Amino acid sequence: MGDMANSSIEFHPKPQQQREAPHAGGFGCTLAELRTLMELRGAEALQKIEEAYGDVSGLCRRLKTSPTVGLADNADDLEKRRQIYGQNLIPPKQPKTFLQLVWEALQDVTLIILEVAAIVSLGLSFYAPPGEESEACGNVSGGAEDEGEAEAGWIEGAAILLSVICVVLVTAFNDWSKEKQFRGLQSRIEQEQKFTVIRNGQLLQVPVAALVVGDIAQVKYGDLLPADGVLIQANDLKIDESSLTGESDHVRKSADKDPMMLSGTHVMEGSGRMVVTAVGVNSQTGIIFTLLGAGGEEEEKKDKKGKQQDGAMESSQTKAKKQDGAVAMEMQPLKSAEGGEMEDREKKKASTPKKEKSVLQGKLTKLAVQIGKAGLVMSAITVIILVLYFVIETFVVRGRTWLAECTPVYVQYFVKFFIIGVTVLVVAVPEGLPLAVTISLAYSVKKMMKDNNLVRHLDACETMGNATAICSDKTGTLTTNRMTVVQSYLGDTHYKEIPAPSALTPKILDVLVHAISINSAYTTKILPPEKEGALPRQVGNKTECALLGFVLDLKRDFQPVREQIPEDKLYKVYTFNSVRKSMSTVIRMPDGGFRLFSKGASEILLKKCTNILNSNGELRSFRPRDRDDVVRKIIEPMACDGLRTICIAYRDFPAGQEPDWDNENEVVGDLTCIAVVGIEDPVRPEVPEAIRKCQRAGITVRMVTGDNINTARAIAAKCGIIQPGEDFLCLEGKEFNRRIRNEKGEIEQERLDKVWPKLRVLARSSPTDKHTLVKGIIDSTSGEQRQVVAVTGDGTNDGPALKKADVGFAMGIAGTDVAKEASDIILTDDNFTSIVKAVMWGRNVYDSISKFLQFQLTVNVVAVIVAFTGACITQDSPLKAVQMLWVNLIMDTFASLALATEPPTESLLLRKPYGRDKPLISRTMMKNILGHAAYQLTIIFTLLFVGELFFDIDSGRNAPLHSPPSEHYTIIFNTFVLMQLCNEINARKIHGERNVFDGIFSNPIFCTIVLGTFGIQIVIVQFGGKPFSCSPLSTEQWLWCLFVGVGELVWGQVIATIPTSQLKCLKEAGHGPGKDEMTDEELAEGEEEIDHAERELRRGQILWFRGLNRIQTQISAFYEPQNRSPDFGVKAFCKLLPARTTVPH
């Protein structure tokens, strides 16, 4: 202790010297002083406050603020504070520049291969072998020189480079606009986060960024603290500091024991007031972020080393996967759509279990890896066959020897073969897939904003389309959350409506008014309506608002009572939490005794009552038999009317014998019941219809509530969750636990599987019950398909269930910060109908991706087969490298834009959900893909082998190197593109519908792209010349090409006529990870099976998050080698989808 005192003596002179600057501002504390103060904890901190300031009020005086009135709301004063003590902002990480994004797009393996090939091709085209030697090298260049075309040899290389630049710019622009979008979304989320402060004695909600040092902030259950502060007054306050300290136990805070409140920590219980002492980069969270920012570059260097060592230890299985490098690279954008900035809002504890990958993502990763492998094999075979054929033809059949001076000519041939091989690979690998996913998700998210869904994790939007079950809260989601007391039991009388004040004994009325006014959060109040004729505004906890409204209905006012006993005069407060299900407040009476007021769930509180007030306001004993009577005659009838019942009680402690306040069970016992009230929370008028839509769409809605079972059942019946004559279960939490646990009290999945399919209402449930139910449904493998579960929640205690669910919805209005942190989508209007909209958008995303796949795979199959067979039979691909890249551009980038932006229709809600196991490519789609591919291949091979006879033109087959473009091959290219354009219209329907034009004009993007592509195609063919290997076509040839193209639409009708059920031979593709891959150990091992392709990417691309509550992840990122990450930033941002997937530990 002596040391402490000495250190503080040494400490004081320093501020003296520094104080001139702040004294200019007129404040008695420097920034450094406050920073040092906030680094102390517990007793040390108290001692420091006492030595330096006397007490907390002394600190407030130095900061020129008042503990009760707060700051004057004076703009100059607030600005001055910001200048001296900083703003409550942590500066965002610099976004990547456009050039950095271009550089990242250039890292793509396939593009690098193409660039190398193009450069080699360019280099060789400038090398002209000596003229007289060309005879000796065979007629490899025969025919070309004669026409003086040799000089044009550079064009192909240049054109490939040009198209690579196009692809890179498109990708970079896409990434850049996506980053911009996420930053916009992030700033919107930040603006929406408000905090309660006292200014001029008024409670105000200010944006978190507007907090300044010296503000008096009100903290309450469920808050995420936005700045550091020192506690002035607290009621039963407990804080979860695990995000800073890693300690999971809640820390009890009080003004006289541990008053230090730290930013980024969560209030788990209680309420209080604190003076803000540090904001932004000077707060404890801010300091850690500043360190992280500085540590970033060094980390990056270390990581590169770490990565190399990691590589050495990789299993052979992972190495095998590395051969799919190209595929993995192509798939990266899939990991995209999350956006690092959105991450900021999310707190991911290192301890949270690993989430399974989103349903769509798992299927896509698998599919892309399969396609990529096939493409790789095809391109390798193409190159090998071309080279072998050339070598055998030149050196064996013609018996030539390899002459040194001929080498460049031969190499030029080999380069040409290599380019053909690479283009086959480029066309085979579906790099448009990630783009389609990203565009589709980003488009949906933007539109979902209008439907009151604020999407925090992009993949949640698509997962929602697969949802098979929704576990919803009752209060505020299914009901309006505007509560009113409609029945009461006072003085032995059950009133079906609000009693006249004259009908009640003054004594009862007085105790009731005090019990309600004092024993509710002082932040809860009823304000006059904003507009005339509107309802009074309810601020704060809605149940308490209903009780305060009851006081007003009894022609009394709660404000004078609160003024007489202000909040800091309350002796002890036991705040409401999910375990107690009650709230109690103790006040000191004038005679030196104490009075405790308590309110809570009626059946729980009545068990603690031993007396009740009779009609004269006198005590009479209340025995268990009387309690059963009250439950039977009063509480159950109220509950059956769908009312929520609350009991209000009190207890007096005589002077002289103060009880042990920490022994809560003793204190809150032996109560006297004043009243039982029935609170109505009407069902939202639009909810029954929304639930009907869900049921029609094959989604089961379950209600999970803390309310009494009768109330819950009545509301469920009104909503249509349960219908008469159905076989359903309504259980209470206790009964639910009894049914699912074995003798040892462990949960058994088999027992759970017997309960959940019929369960519709779970009442009196604890947060643990909710989590158990959600986990049980997700892990269950008993049904025909695995379940995908969405959960709604608003309380701090809903956090675990929201995190566990496939999609967590938090309430934007009633939700606590903790619930919002754990959620994936925030409902800005707290309304169940918005969830139905989310389902519709989710299904639309899934369908858009299927449409795109159907289109893309048709093109892939055709292009690869044409290039392959063409190369093998005619030693040259009928589709040139540049043409392939153009086809790739229309079928990837443009088609993904066109098909991914189709708006959703109500008809999406008429089918059952796909679920986890349904393959991406259904049999109908496979029928369409193979059917259209057959048509296109027939046409192209006919044109390739007999086209010159039909059109009476020169054959383009076996043309020598550098020969001018032939009309023959131009017709093939043109027909191919026109068939794709018409097939794009066919791809708009994937369930075998006949009318492919249905609703086409409601999507202007689609029409623009199809017409635009057609326009560009005309330009390419007529004026593309040598770079595009095109020769202009006559009108007649154009009409034939168009005729064949439109034939696609007719052929589509033919295919639709063939019943899929007859085609048993068709296989589905793109299954999700199967049940066998989903064993528990495996999930525990970080999903080795499913995630290999992704782990490669994830290692290299974990983002440095910049969020108020990511500290824990941040810190663990320093210590855990597998979190090491050499490549930060937007690639991660744009290519790192499973935000909800923590790195396997």
Side-chain angles (χ1 to χ4, degrees), residues 610-627:
T610 51
N611 295 297
I612 189 165
L613 293 180
N614 66 13
S615 50
N616 302 324
E618 287 145 11
L619 289 130
R620 71 172 169 82
S621 68
F622 188 66
R623 297 182 300 279
R625 195 176 65 238
D626 301 329
R627 186 176 67 238

Side-chain angles (χ1 to χ4, degrees), residues 88-94 183 186-187 189-190 193 208 224-227 243-244 263-266 280-281 283-293 338-349 456-457 821 1103-1115 1133:
N88 197 22
L89 286 174
I90 292 177
K93 194 167 181 284
Q94 278 298 309
R183 286 189 181 257
Q186 171 58 16
S187 63
I189 292 177
E190 278 172 359
Q193 200 184 356
V208 165
L224 171 70
L225 298 184
S243 57
L244 274 182
S263 56
T265 59
H266 287 110
V281 286
S283 65
Q284 292 302 297
T285 307
I287 291 167
I288 291 178
F289 275 108
T290 320
L291 291 174
L292 284 175
E338 224 286 323
E341 300 310 296
M342 314 253 304
E343 299 262 359
D344 299 354
R345 309 277 315 120
E346 151 140 26
K347 168 167 171 276
K348 189 61 112 196
K349 293 191 182 174
R456 296 183 56 239
H457 298 141
E821 289 310 319
L1103 188 54
W1104 277 120
F1105 307 128
R1106 176 195 63 77
L1108 262 180
N1109 23 21
R1110 289 317 284 262
I1111 302 133
Q1112 188 151 16
T1113 318
Q1114 305 286 19
I1115 293 169
F1133 193 105

Side-chain angles (χ1 to χ4, degrees), residues 86-100:
Q87 287 184 293
N88 197 22
L89 286 174
I90 292 177
K93 194 167 181 284
Q94 278 298 309
K96 294 228 165 183
T97 60
F98 188 70
L99 287 175
Q100 281 170 304

Side-chain angles (χ1 to χ4, degrees), residues 346-459:
E346 151 140 26
K347 168 167 171 276
K348 189 61 112 196
K349 293 191 182 174
S351 59
T352 48
K354 185 173 185 307
K355 265 265 181 175
E356 280 180 32
K357 278 196 322 224
S358 94
V359 183
L360 180 68
Q361 217 180 312
K363 294 177 183 178
L364 281 175
T365 308
K366 227 172 155 185
L367 189 69
V369 169
Q370 290 163 350
I371 295 174
K373 277 181 184 164
L376 212 58
V377 171
M378 290 291 269
S379 62
I381 296 175
T382 311
V383 175
I384 293 165
I385 289 179
L386 285 169
V387 172
L388 282 176
Y389 192 97
F390 175 75
V391 171
I392 293 168
E393 171 82 6
T394 311
F395 302 119
V396 179
V397 179
R398 300 201 181 153
R400 290 205 167 78
T401 49
W402 183 301
L403 300 173
E405 58 271 28
C406 295
T407 306
V409 182
Y410 296 145
V411 169
Q412 219 166 336
Y413 258 93
F414 291 143
V415 168
K416 176 183 161 187
F417 299 152
F418 180 62
I419 288 178
I420 293 171
V422 173
T423 43
V424 171
L425 178 67
V426 170
V427 175
V429 170
E431 63 271 51
L433 197 53
L435 191 63
V437 175
T438 306
I439 291 175
S440 181
L441 289 172
Y443 171 76
S444 305
V445 166
K446 220 168 174 174
K447 296 285 190 192
M448 281 169 80
M449 284 284 230
K450 294 190 178 125
D451 287 340
N452 304 308
N453 282 291
L454 181 75
V455 181
R456 296 183 56 239
H457 298 141
L458 269 187
D459 58 334

Side-chain angles (χ1 to χ4, degrees), residues 36 174 260 411 487 550 829 931 1080 1124:
T36 320
N174 207 36
M260 308 315 268
V411 169
Q487 296 188 23
F550 184 48
D829 62 347
D1080 289 349
R1124 290 288 158 83

Side-chain angles (χ1 to χ4, degrees), residues 863-877:
V864 171
I865 294 178
V866 167
F868 176 69
T869 39
C872 298
I873 298 168
T874 66
Q875 281 67 68
D876 185 7
S877 167

